[in-house]
Amino acid sequence: MSAPLRSPFAPKFVPNLYPVPGVELGTAAANVKYKGRRDLLMAFFQPNTAAAGVFTVNEATAAPVLWSRRVIETTPSDVRALVVNAGNANAFTGMRGHKICADVAAEAARLAGADPAKVLLASTGVIGEPMALAPFKTYLPRISEGLSASLYKDAAEAIMTTDTYPKMVSRLTKLDGHVTPITGIAKGSGMIAPNMATMLAFVFTSAAIAPVCLDALLREAVDSSFHAITVDSDTSTNDTVLLFATGANGQETPIDDPSDRRLDEFRKALGEIMIDLAQQVIKDGEGARKFVTVMVEAARDTATARAVGFSIANSPLVKTAIAGEDPNWGRIIMAAGKAGAGIDPDALKLWIGPNLVAKGGAVHSRYSEEKAAEHMKGQDILLRLDLGQGDAATTVWTTDLTHGYIDINADYRS
Amino acid sequence: MSAPLRSPFAPKFVPNLYPVPGVELGTAAANVKYKGRRDLLMAFFQPNTAAAGVFTVNEATAAPVLWSRRVIETTPSDVRALVVNAGNANAFTGMRGHKICADVAAEAARLAGADPAKVLLASTGVIGEPMALAPFKTYLPRISEGLSASLYKDAAEAIMTTDTYPKMVSRLTKLDGHVTPITGIAKGSGMIAPNMATMLAFVFTSAAIAPVCLDALLREAVDSSFHAITVDSDTSTNDTVLLFATGANGQETPIDDPSDRRLDEFRKALGEIMIDLAQQVIKDGEGARKFVTVMVEAARDTATARAVGFSIANSPLVKTAIAGEDPNWGRIIMAAGKAGAGIDPDALKLWIGPNLVAKGGAVHSRYSEEKAAEHMKGQDILLRLDLGQGDAATTVWTTDLTHGYIDINADYRS
């Protein structure tokens, strides 16, 4: 097949990526599957680094997800290494898949001088293909010899599958008076022959935050970021978001209460970092030409707002209309109605961009299809729906559904 | 845009369509929206015709759906007319839409010499566009002058929107010793600029069956037919299935018990008629090049089987793989897992056509990708998943997701 075009949203510049004290990284071209590109990442963490994780809810859970979930459950207060490979998902690989996880963790642990139970793993790539241990045995030792605190761009590249650009973001924040960097990388919704699948994100900070508190902060941030995006409603077997806090920023003691006001600035920065990464994932969605923001407001509760928002964001008919730059608002109403969330069509208000389209159960008397069509020609599309029920609101992000999506996903594996 | 290609599944011949005693039909080119083609259907029924209906669950319910639902609730034992138009869905049209329904029903009732509360309505076409009364006022009287018992093909054509062929089926069955025809028409999943939307089906029989029993038979048949198909997971505002039983077949009294064994042959024929119509709808799905049967077996219960079946049948990644003739079985596992239905990956067995692909949580040792790829090249694709849980099973039908779907749905309305 022809190579996917680079996303029109690909950033023009590499952002400034702040090193995170307590984290060292390295990568290699290990030939897990791809040839001649980085596909293996290893990071080491200083002792007593805390970690939190959010994992796929897909029931066909990949072996490395089961492994990392257990590490987070048992030793979240002292993780020492992370190993990520691209090219093979190690999913639906039976007992052999679990054995590979143990072996890779043992090798990374040996190099880090730590316990294998303190090594986190993530994989992305083909589902159902046995994974070989050899690339890890050969390349993890080489990576361990060249670790550095500044290789985030390499790291972002090493976890790509069919992403058309590496996804990274970084900022400095303050925590309890201490300058604290947060730096994150992600890879996205590339699902391509042969069935690449997975969203991965890794966020590193030198904050000193106890695991339970870190977990609360991560879940809160994921709810408004990675849990608010959809490309095609498909959920990978391998989705993983990990947050590491090394505690190297000079704080005397870790913060352990999520409601501690000293977290305010950090929480805000973390939320923005996560939304930035999630939006980068969407903007590199397969075949994406438009970035679509769906805001649902005045809902009875957040669950209702989310159900309606995702019903719109996942509707193939809405997404193809956006691809065609068609302000086909009847489909948005249809998608809101099919969510089964208990909406009243007569109470709805719908805007496309700044244009009020419908209210009172019918098209607005001054609706201008011409103006709505003008908005649809842009690269950033805003659909806003007021349910007229209550005070809850949510925002979800998605893309249009284009020929590019079909091209990327229908191609025979060869 | 270029006209959609005729579906490769379009039938080569018009089937034999048996007239149904007690039903007369007629059509007109009424210019509701289209020019120069039939777009208006009216049918009259003899007194005491029973009717049953299944309607969309979309909460943005179209006005004619609300109207017909009320008729079925209040006078299911004596419906006298049916009016169906194509081109305008009369959905999200506010109070004016309800007024149009009352006016159209009044006109048909006047012509039939009946009460407006005994007139059923259905519409399909643009959402949100005000509908004019004039075409009905002008053309319903003309239709009423030329009604005939044999115009089912015309009727099937009159309700088409972007269907590439009219959908009809007919057979003779026996009920309590009386020869009883069942003849049905349907229109499908054409959703095209400007936002055509809706599945409609109308089935007519001369059986004498009391409304409550007819309702039970219809729901039973719909569960295995129209409730077992999906093109793109989108649910129209106007979906309507109506079953009419005129009682003109010579039975002395209507059957009123769904478990009456005299219904056996009729029930079987009705079920086959409904599956035939539902499959015709799918085979004319937008851009469809493949007809896909998803069988889920050995499930804990039917709800689990349906959840997994629809998760596979609606997965864009599975559907694009089928379009690409790619036996990309990892995506099928992914789709089964994301249903959240409580499956155990290690207990699954998956077949593509006759080929066992996966079992015991990994690819089958003798799986031949070549043979699976050969099956994927056919027009009829069979995906079979054994959940290893229990005795329940279900079958759902869908299509591939092709460039044709995007072409049809992304085109700007002009």
Side-chain angles (χ1 to χ4, degrees):
Chain A
M1 62 166 288
S2 56
L5 293 171
R6 192 166 158 88
S7 163
F9 298 98
K12 306 280 181 292
F13 306 100
V14 176
N16 201 354
L17 298 166
Y18 300 101
V20 175
V23 182
E24 297 202 306
L25 316 93
T27 65
N31 300 308
V32 173
K33 172 159 191 88
Y34 301 110
K35 304 293 170 208
R37 52 150 282 195
R38 304 176 201 284
D39 58 359
L40 185 58
L41 161 68
M42 184 163 66
F44 281 178
F45 306 101
Q46 73 172 33
N48 301 316
T49 290
V54 174
F55 303 95
T56 184
V57 294
N58 194 305
E59 292 170 351
T61 319
V65 171
L66 293 173
W67 176 278
S68 291
R69 196 186 272 160
R70 197 169 50 235
V71 171
I72 294 288
E73 279 164 12
T74 53
T75 59
S77 59
D78 186 23
V79 301
R80 299 296 304 283
L82 166 71
V83 178
V84 188
N85 73 279
N88 189 319
N90 195 12
F92 214 74
T93 44
M95 283 315 298
R96 186 165 161 185
H98 297 294
K99 176 74 164 57
I100 285 276
C101 285
D103 291 346
V104 170
E107 180 62 14
R110 185 183 69 79
L111 296 165
D115 189 305
K118 299 182 174 184
V119 177
L120 287 155
L121 305 175
S123 297
T124 174
V126 194
I127 297 174
E129 196 164 288
M131 188 148 85
L133 183 61
F136 298 89
K137 279 289 210 187
T138 306
Y139 288 94
L140 289 182
R142 297 188 197 176
I143 294 174
S144 75
E145 286 162 18
L147 294 174
S148 146
S150 62
L151 296 175
Y152 289 95
K153 178 166 176 287
D154 287 4
E157 287 171 357
I159 64 175
M160 287 168 64
T161 51
T162 54
D163 303 67
T164 72
Y165 58 85
K167 293 155 190 70
M168 45 215 171
V169 61
S170 186
R171 68 175 60 193
L172 292 180
T173 183
K174 272 196 172 168
L175 184 53
D176 200 16
H178 300 272
V179 172
T180 306
I182 310 177
T183 299
I185 60 173
K187 60 104 21 191
S189 46
M191 293 216 180
I192 198 170
N195 47 348
M196 293 302 163
T198 297
M199 192 283 302
L200 299 179
F202 307 105
V203 179
F204 310 89
T205 178
S206 58
I209 299 176
V212 171
C213 180
L214 197 68
D215 182 70
L217 291 173
L218 177 64
R219 284 176 194 282
E220 187 183 301
V222 165
D223 268 350
S224 315
S225 58
F226 289 107
H227 281 175
I229 60 176
T230 178
V231 170
D232 56 12
S233 79
D234 279 334
T235 307
S236 138
T237 51
N238 290 55
D239 290 341
T240 298
V241 180
L242 294 172
L243 171 59
F244 301 91
T246 64
N249 68 342
Q251 286 173 246
E252 291 201 359
T253 52
I255 295 179
D256 59 8
D257 175 5
S259 63
D260 192 318
R261 298 303 304 266
R262 287 176 296 169
L263 285 169
D264 287 358
E265 197 176 334
F266 179 84
R267 168 181 265 127
K268 183 164 174 292
L270 178 65
E272 288 166 1
I273 287 261
M274 298 281 280
I275 286 177
D276 192 314
L277 285 175
Q279 293 190 346
Q280 287 190 55
V281 165
I282 284 298
K283 288 177 175 177
D284 202 12
E286 291 166 332
R289 313 301 291 171
K290 308 268 187 191
F291 177 69
V292 184
T293 301
V294 180
M295 297 175 66
V296 181
E297 302 173 341
R300 181 186 308 116
D301 48 40
T302 308
T304 302
R306 282 181 75 87
V308 171
F310 273 111
S311 187
I312 295 169
N314 280 325
S315 163
L317 286 169
V318 171
K319 293 158 80 90
T320 47
I322 293 169
E325 305 188 339
D326 179 359
N328 198 328
W329 62 271
R331 293 185 184 173
I332 303 169
I333 301 288
M334 174 282 296
K338 78 164 179 162
I343 63 164
D344 173 4
D346 294 336
L348 297 180
K349 283 189 223 136
L350 172 67
W351 290 261
I352 293 180
N355 311 289
L356 179 57
V357 176
K359 62 179 278 196
V363 66
H364 180 51
S365 56
R366 285 188 302 249
Y367 168 59
S368 156
E369 174 138 332
E370 202 179 329
K371 282 184 189 160
E374 197 53 43
H375 178 77
M376 299 297 281
K377 286 185 188 138
Q379 214 171 37
D380 288 286
I381 306 299
L382 175 63
L383 308 179
R384 187 154 70 91
L385 193 63
D386 179 316
L387 300 185
Q389 296 179 329
D391 293 329
T394 202
T395 300
V396 308
W397 296 281
T398 189
T399 63
D400 51 347
L401 174 55
T402 68
H403 284 295
Y405 182 87
I406 307 270
D407 276 336
I408 293 169
N409 286 301
D411 194 60
Y412 185 73
R413 291 174 294 170
S414 54
Chain B
M1 62 165 289
S2 55
L5 292 171
R6 193 167 157 86
S7 163
F9 296 100
K12 306 281 181 293
F13 307 99
V14 176
N16 201 354
L17 298 167
Y18 300 102
V20 176
V23 182
E24 296 202 306
L25 316 93
T27 64
N31 300 307
V32 173
K33 173 161 189 87
Y34 301 110
K35 305 293 172 208
R37 54 150 281 197
R38 303 176 202 285
D39 58 359
L40 185 59
L41 161 68
M42 183 163 66
F44 281 178
F45 306 103
Q46 72 172 36
N48 302 314
T49 290
V54 173
F55 302 95
T56 184
V57 294
N58 193 304
E59 293 170 352
T61 319
V65 171
L66 294 173
W67 175 277
S68 292
R69 195 184 274 159
R70 198 168 51 233
V71 171
I72 294 288
E73 279 164 13
T74 53
T75 60
S77 58
D78 186 23
V79 300
R80 298 296 304 284
L82 166 70
V83 178
V84 188
N85 73 279
N88 189 319
N90 195 10
F92 214 74
T93 43
M95 283 315 297
R96 186 166 161 183
H98 297 295
K99 175 75 165 56
I100 285 277
C101 286
D103 290 345
V104 170
E107 180 62 14
R110 184 182 70 78
L111 296 165
D115 188 303
K118 298 182 174 183
V119 177
L120 287 157
L121 304 176
S123 298
T124 174
V126 195
I127 296 173
E129 195 164 290
M131 188 149 83
L133 182 61
F136 298 90
K137 280 289 210 186
T138 307
Y139 288 95
L140 290 183
R142 296 188 197 177
I143 294 175
S144 74
E145 287 162 17
L147 295 173
S148 147
S150 61
L151 297 175
Y152 287 97
K153 176 166 177 290
D154 287 4
E157 287 171 358
I159 63 174
M160 287 168 63
T161 50
T162 54
D163 302 66
T164 73
Y165 59 85
K167 294 156 189 72
M168 45 215 173
V169 61
S170 186
R171 68 174 60 189
L172 292 180
T173 182
K174 273 197 174 165
L175 185 52
D176 199 17
H178 300 272
V179 172
T180 305
I182 310 177
T183 299
I185 60 173
K187 60 108 16 195
S189 46
M191 293 215 182
I192 199 171
N195 46 349
M196 293 301 163
T198 298
M199 192 283 302
L200 300 179
F202 307 104
V203 179
F204 309 89
T205 178
S206 59
I209 299 176
V212 172
C213 180
L214 196 68
D215 182 70
L217 291 172
L218 177 64
R219 283 176 195 283
E220 187 183 302
V222 165
D223 267 351
S224 315
S225 58
F226 290 105
H227 282 174
I229 59 176
T230 179
V231 170
D232 55 13
S233 79
D234 280 334
T235 306
S236 139
T237 50
N238 290 55
D239 290 340
T240 299
V241 180
L242 294 172
L243 172 59
F244 300 91
T246 63
N249 68 342
Q251 285 174 246
E252 291 199 2
T253 52
I255 294 179
D256 59 8
D257 175 6
S259 62
D260 191 320
R261 297 304 303 265
R262 287 177 297 168
L263 284 169
D264 287 358
E265 197 175 335
F266 178 85
R267 168 182 265 127
K268 183 163 175 291
L270 178 65
E272 288 167 2
I273 287 260
M274 299 281 280
I275 286 177
D276 191 314
L277 284 175
Q279 292 191 348
Q280 287 190 54
V281 165
I282 284 299
K283 288 177 176 177
D284 201 13
E286 292 167 332
R289 312 302 291 172
K290 308 268 188 190
F291 178 71
V292 184
T293 301
V294 180
M295 297 175 67
V296 181
E297 302 173 341
R300 181 186 309 114
D301 50 40
T302 308
T304 302
R306 282 180 75 88
V308 171
F310 274 110
S311 187
I312 295 169
N314 279 325
S315 164
L317 286 168
V318 171
K319 292 158 82 89
T320 48
I322 292 169
E325 305 188 337
D326 179 358
N328 199 328
W329 62 270
R331 293 186 184 173
I332 303 169
I333 301 288
M334 173 282 297
K338 78 164 179 161
I343 64 164
D344 174 4
D346 293 338
L348 296 180
K349 283 187 224 144
L350 171 68
W351 290 261
I352 293 180
N355 312 288
L356 179 58
V357 176
K359 61 179 279 196
V363 67
H364 180 51
S365 56
R366 284 188 302 248
Y367 168 60
S368 157
E369 174 138 333
E370 202 179 330
K371 282 185 189 160
E374 196 54 41
H375 178 76
M376 299 296 282
K377 285 184 188 138
Q379 217 171 32
D380 288 286
I381 307 299
L382 174 64
L383 308 179
R384 187 153 69 90
L385 193 63
D386 179 316
L387 300 186
Q389 296 179 328
D391 293 329
T394 203
T395 300
V396 306
W397 295 282
T398 189
T399 63
D400 51 347
L401 174 55
T402 68
H403 284 295
Y405 181 87
I406 308 271
D407 277 334
I408 293 169
N409 286 302
D411 194 59
Y412 184 73
R413 291 176 293 171
S414 54

